[in-house]
Amino acid sequence: MTTASYVGIEVEVNEEGFFTDPSAWREEMAPIIAKEMGIDELTDEHWQVIRFVRDRYLQTGGGPSVRVLGKTSGVAVKDLYRLFPKGPAKQAAKIAGIPKPVGCI
Amino acid sequence: MTDYIQKISIIVSQGSLEGIYPGLIMANGARSEGIEANLFFTFFGLDAINKSRQDHIKLSSVGNPGLHFPTWLGGFPGVSKIMTQYMESKMEKLDIPPIPEFIEMISDTGAGLYACKASVDLFGMSKDDFIDQLDGIITVGDFYQLASGGQMLFT
């Protein structure tokens, strides 16, 4: 296990940089994590997705797939990839401080 | 230099349910990891992007030892249909979309969808036979050029 430091707070992350303890996450950390992945600015659209995946994780214990995001987050699959070019489910989960979603779809 | 795969080109050559899904799952999975992906449909794989056929893709119930029942049974009328419906219901539970929706979604992820020109000519098809998401009917040579700098998968 490694640690990362965001807004002066040490958090535990796995080898891919996903939070191991989602309760350690703060909203102020999101833009910094995003920047590390090449997303320079978090727009309202980004936040809509980030909040959605985090809520979903807190309710179900798992991050949603791209298919589920496209159908229920209010942002279409095409736009999800525009916002998170390196994979919406994975990138949004990392920015939202939740574990990497499992599943192949 | 990085150890990660950056780009993948996947050839779908079969027209059965079990022949089409693996390529689609690999392409979608690549995009969800941020990997560039192109799909090339050839021979019977063209059915996956054929407007009137993509919604009627069947599991092969004959000559498919993986089903673990006798070949003579698989040949009975309706067996392929029943097995297909059974597989589809199991896949839906696992969040795997039906083929038409899956292909539309894969196109929306930014993956390229291409039809093999030789096969399109062979089956006497034309652009109008295919879904709107198709990015082009191209030659093998064109596809190799598109695939340049990446890995290739034949399914």
Side-chain angles (χ1 to χ4, degrees):
Chain A
M1 212 64 75
T2 42
T3 56
S5 177
Y6 298 115
V7 292
I9 302 168
E10 289 262 303
V11 291
E12 282 204 346
V13 294
N14 74 2
E15 59 283 357
E16 285 186 275
F18 288 86
F19 277 49
T20 53
D21 175 16
S23 68
W25 183 84
R26 305 282 175 273
E27 274 202 12
E28 312 86 81
M29 297 173 178
I32 306 161
I33 307 168
K35 209 157 215 158
E36 286 178 354
M37 286 185 288
I39 299 170
D40 286 335
E41 201 201 332
L42 290 182
T43 62
D44 289 348
E45 268 181 309
H46 286 102
W47 275 108
Q48 185 180 342
V49 180
I50 294 163
R51 294 209 172 91
F52 184 89
V53 300
R54 191 164 170 89
D55 285 350
R56 178 102 184 176
Y57 172 80
L58 296 174
Q59 282 163 21
T60 67
S65 67
V66 176
R67 185 190 187 201
V68 169
L69 275 178
K71 283 191 166 173
T72 53
S73 70
V75 181
V77 172
K78 232 178 217 175
D79 296 318
L80 286 167
Y81 274 89
R82 173 172 55 77
L83 298 166
F84 304 97
K86 292 285 176 191
K90 195 178 76 166
Q91 287 197 303
K94 197 186 255 186
I95 297 169
I98 64 166
K100 187 177 177 177
V102 288
C104 290
I105 305 300
Chain B
M1 267 306 274
T2 159
D3 287 339
Y4 296 108
I5 292 174
Q6 309 264 5
K7 177 176 175 178
I8 188 93
S9 298
I10 300 167
I11 299 156
V12 178
S13 68
Q14 297 183 62
S16 60
L17 189 87
E18 73 276 24
I20 291 171
Y21 264 109
L24 301 185
I25 290 174
M26 296 300 286
N28 182 65
R31 292 299 302 129
S32 67
E33 290 293 321
I35 299 166
E36 187 183 342
N38 286 307
L39 277 162
F40 187 63
F41 296 88
T42 185
F43 256 81
F44 300 109
L46 284 176
D47 280 0
I49 48 169
N50 184 303
K51 267 193 287 207
S52 57
R53 294 187 179 161
Q54 64 165 187
D55 211 10
H56 308 283
I57 302 294
K58 295 275 186 294
L59 188 88
S60 337
S61 59
V62 173
N64 186 351
L67 286 179
H68 305 289
F69 61 58
T71 290
W72 59 263
L73 180 61
F76 269 111
V79 172
S80 176
K81 190 175 175 189
I82 291 163
M83 290 308 295
T84 301
Q85 285 170 348
Y86 172 70
M87 285 291 278
E88 284 173 346
S89 73
K90 280 191 84 165
M91 287 196 288
E92 184 57 46
K93 284 192 191 102
L94 288 171
D95 198 28
I96 303 174
I99 287 171
E101 182 196 330
F102 205 8
I103 289 182
E104 191 181 336
M105 178 175 141
I106 289 168
S107 172
D108 285 346
T109 69
L113 305 180
Y114 299 93
C116 163
K117 187 173 184 313
S119 304
V120 171
D121 293 344
L122 177 68
F123 294 131
M125 296 175 178
S126 70
K127 192 175 171 290
D128 296 336
D129 293 311
F130 299 108
I131 53 172
D132 296 340
Q133 286 85 7
L134 190 69
D135 292 293
I137 299 171
I138 63 173
T139 65
V140 171
D142 292 337
F143 188 69
Y144 275 123
Q145 284 200 353
L146 271 175
S148 134
Q151 314 272 322
M152 245 197 224
L153 261 181
F154 185 87
T155 69

